[in-house]
Amino acid sequence: VDQLRPDYLDLYASQFTGGFARLLRGGAYFPNGYQDHGVTETAPGHASTMSGRFPRSTGIVANDAGVYDVQAPLIDAKGDPASPFRFRGTTLGDWLRFADPRTRLLSVSRKDRGAILPLGRAKGEAYWYATNGMFTTSTYYSDTLPTWVQRFNARRLPQSYAGKQWDLLLPPSAYTEPDTVAIESGGTDYVFPHLFPRSPEQAAAAFATFPMMDEVTFQLALEGVTSKELGRDPTRTDFLAVSVSTTDAIGHRFGPDSREQHDQILRLDRYMGAFIDSLYKLRDSSTIVFTLTADHGVAPFPDAEVKSRFRKEPAGRTDLLPVVRALYQSLMRAGVDTAGFKEDAGVLYLDPVAFTRARVNRDSVARAYASAALRVDGVWRADLFADLAKRDTTKDAISRRWVHMFPPDLPVAVVVTLKPFWNWAGTRSASHGSPHDYDARVPVLFYGAGIRPGRHDDVVRVVDIAPTLATLLSVRPMERLDGRVLTRALR
């Protein structure tokens, strides 16, 4: 579940009747799971779920360096071309197929990176949503859409919501959150009900921001289970990944304290419950194991007018652009090739080769930049990346998460960490991406065949999921992992 804070599962537990209720009641639940890396975005988080490895090993370090691939255009749809060509190493799907080449792998999501990265480079099928109202894939996987996906698209489920509305699932008295916070949704359409566009095409384009997107994603997954005969052969282990993304869309737009997010989580509980019930009608429940997690959490709006249960004091927004601009100008005057330096959301890349050619001391530049960044309002830390591994990373979570983030062949020079709950200038939505706990903490849960129910409040990590499943399924990882087996979750 994209952007699922574990707090939600406690806050709304008394109102769950579906999937969350079932999983929490009968699963091995770890509410203190962590995406233990620095850039808590969708692509790095999804890449860690089934690989058992941090981004420094998978090579997926940010959304914009995730799955974009000009050599893999979409099939019968408009949108960014995509593939896993940047992904390094293997995933659970590879280990399963190595043990049994008959294994079938399927992954579905609203987002391309949500569908692609749980599989890594493993040869399976991945489908995601395009804004023209259909699910698609790229030429990395196939030359044409299979018949079952074409049939599903022909139902035009997103278009059928044209002119309808999203209203509260429960009576208004069941929600404690105010519905009058004008900063939500950019100051427009922040009060229930929320209307779909009247045009079918526009409704399909806007569909990803409504809860019903998750319901349709689950329906596609069930269609895939039937059409691909996943789980039908008892002598074969098959793999299904479902990434539902509306919690992320609503969290950005309305924030984690909103009535909209509360309603989304309740609806997701029902959608997930219907999915599990339907799956159990198709396959023997004693042969199925589930795992639930998230790619990251989220911070509330930093603004004082938002009264948040998740932060005690208002924060602010940080503008690092003047420092970055001054650095760029000085490096160009010094003759450093412009391809040799780049800043992205607090991460400064300095290519040693470009600095050697220009006879400019890279370390001096990095230290000067870090010093300048520390003087900017809202900046908490500006660390030379090379120094972080020298810290006590068992106690310093920020340093540890940055160390886990980048492969050694990336020329990362400085990493900037904002003060807790601060955001970057120009970002008007609720956001994530930092190494702070509120962005890194996610649920980790196992349920079903071979799982011992119970709640465990100690700290675990998302990279522990894949080795735990591998042990349960008696398959061997094909490389060294960062995660460890959570034996107390297994019978």
Side-chain angles (χ1 to χ4, degrees):
V1 180
D2 199 317
Q3 204 190 107
L4 181 65
R5 292 181 60 120
D7 322 69
Y8 299 153
L9 301 185
D10 289 327
L11 280 169
Y12 312 132
S14 64
Q15 296 174 318
F16 292 152
T17 62
F20 285 136
R22 184 198 291 266
L23 297 179
L24 290 169
R25 182 175 60 248
Y29 177 39
F30 299 85
N32 293 307
Y34 284 86
Q35 289 279 11
D36 205 24
H37 53 253
V39 181
T40 45
E41 293 182 341
T42 299
H46 277 79
S48 288
T49 57
M50 290 296 114
S51 68
R53 294 175 293 120
F54 297 125
R56 68 181 179 192
S57 298
T58 67
I60 305 298
V61 299
N63 281 342
D64 60 0
V67 298
Y68 185 84
D69 180 6
V70 294
Q71 297 186 62
L74 304 189
I75 296 175
D76 298 334
K78 294 181 179 180
D80 288 341
S83 85
F85 88 99
R86 287 190 179 91
F87 185 90
R88 303 177 183 181
T90 60
T91 64
L92 178 66
D94 292 291
W95 314 337
L96 287 167
R97 292 197 74 244
F98 186 82
D100 183 352
R102 301 174 303 154
T103 292
R104 298 181 181 182
L105 312 174
L106 173 65
S107 184
V108 299
S109 177
R110 188 260 285 181
K111 297 182 179 181
D112 51 6
R113 51 196 179 272
I116 292 170
L117 293 171
L119 293 181
R121 288 176 171 266
K123 283 300 181 182
E125 296 183 43
Y127 301 98
W128 56 92
Y129 188 72
T131 54
N132 62 348
M134 60 178 284
F135 284 88
T136 186
T137 190
S138 76
T139 54
Y140 175 88
Y141 297 98
S142 179
D143 295 327
T144 59
L145 285 178
T147 302
W148 69 270
V149 177
Q150 294 182 40
R151 286 199 309 264
F152 189 87
N153 287 333
R155 294 167 61 187
R156 293 174 58 84
L157 295 176
Q159 291 87 340
S160 71
Y161 280 88
K164 296 181 180 179
Q165 66 183 30
W166 165 27
D167 209 342
L168 292 172
L169 179 68
L170 302 180
S173 60
Y175 303 83
T176 59
E177 302 84 4
D179 199 25
T180 55
V181 183
I183 197 172
E184 295 175 1
S185 192
T188 62
D189 189 26
Y190 57 87
V191 177
F192 276 101
H194 301 285
L195 304 180
F196 284 89
R198 293 188 176 276
S199 159
E201 291 71 26
Q202 292 178 354
F207 195 64
T209 64
F210 286 84
M212 300 76 186
M213 179 77 249
D214 289 348
E215 182 179 31
V216 171
T217 304
F218 279 125
Q219 290 175 357
L220 178 72
L222 287 170
E223 189 74 21
V225 168
T226 301
S227 300
K228 299 300 297 180
E229 297 187 334
L230 298 187
R232 186 170 182 176
D233 184 344
T235 68
R236 181 187 74 217
T237 300
D238 296 325
F239 175 83
L240 171 67
V242 184
S243 174
V244 284
S245 308
T246 310
T247 303
D248 183 70
I250 292 173
H252 280 299
R253 182 180 173 189
F254 296 99
D257 295 284
S258 64
R259 182 172 293 195
E260 282 80 3
Q261 189 66 295
H262 184 167
D263 195 69
Q264 156 63 14
I265 298 300
L266 297 183
R267 288 179 177 273
L268 178 57
D269 168 64
R270 273 59 164 188
Y271 299 152
M272 195 184 306
F275 168 74
I276 296 173
D277 288 343
S278 298
L279 193 60
Y280 282 171
K281 290 178 182 177
L282 294 171
R283 303 290 181 257
D284 179 359
S285 63
S286 69
T287 68
I288 301 174
V289 60
F290 293 89
T291 185
L292 169 74
T293 193
D295 50 358
H296 52 75
V298 69
F301 291 102
D303 308 85
E305 56 264 41
V306 177
K307 306 302 179 184
S308 174
R309 74 191 91 185
F310 301 116
R311 61 163 171 75
K312 295 180 180 179
E313 298 293 333
R317 292 180 174 83
T318 298
D319 188 3
L320 207 58
L321 184 58
V323 174
V324 174
R325 186 182 292 120
L327 172 71
Y328 282 13
Q329 291 171 350
S330 67
L331 292 179
M332 286 187 287
R333 287 195 300 268
V336 180
D337 189 327
T338 55
F341 52 89
K342 174 188 175 183
E343 190 277 340
D344 181 28
V347 180
L348 179 66
Y349 300 84
L350 302 177
D351 181 11
V353 174
F355 279 76
T356 299
R357 287 174 177 169
R359 298 183 179 180
V360 175
N361 188 295
R362 179 180 183 269
D363 290 342
S364 296
V365 169
R367 293 186 187 281
Y369 176 82
S371 179
L374 279 171
R375 295 193 291 270
V376 176
D377 190 28
V379 171
W380 187 36
R381 292 174 53 162
D383 294 292
L384 270 65
F385 185 67
D387 292 343
L388 291 174
K390 304 171 187 176
R391 309 277 174 82
D392 183 355
T393 56
T394 61
K395 297 179 180 179
D396 183 354
I398 301 299
S399 292
R400 182 179 68 248
R401 288 170 188 160
W402 283 124
V403 168
H404 289 168
M405 192 66 225
F406 300 106
D409 58 339
L410 285 184
V412 178
V414 179
V415 290
V416 173
T417 305
L418 300 186
K419 294 176 180 177
F421 301 106
W422 279 65
N423 210 337
W424 295 107
T427 303
R428 309 313 300 176
S429 62
S431 194
H432 54 82
S434 81
H436 290 295
D437 282 359
Y438 51 79
D439 280 347
R441 183 173 172 239
V442 297
V444 170
L445 189 149
F446 301 88
Y447 176 90
I451 301 301
R452 180 188 294 119
R455 178 175 174 130
H456 309 274
D457 290 324
D458 55 315
V459 170
V460 300
R461 302 161 307 168
V462 170
V463 293
D464 299 332
I465 294 174
T468 302
L469 291 176
T471 295
L472 178 66
L473 300 171
S474 299
V475 296
R476 180 178 295 179
M478 298 168 66
E479 61 194 306
R480 182 176 179 179
L481 305 184
D482 295 311
R484 63 183 187 274
V485 179
L486 301 177
T487 54
R488 56 200 180 282
L490 306 177
R491 291 189 183 277

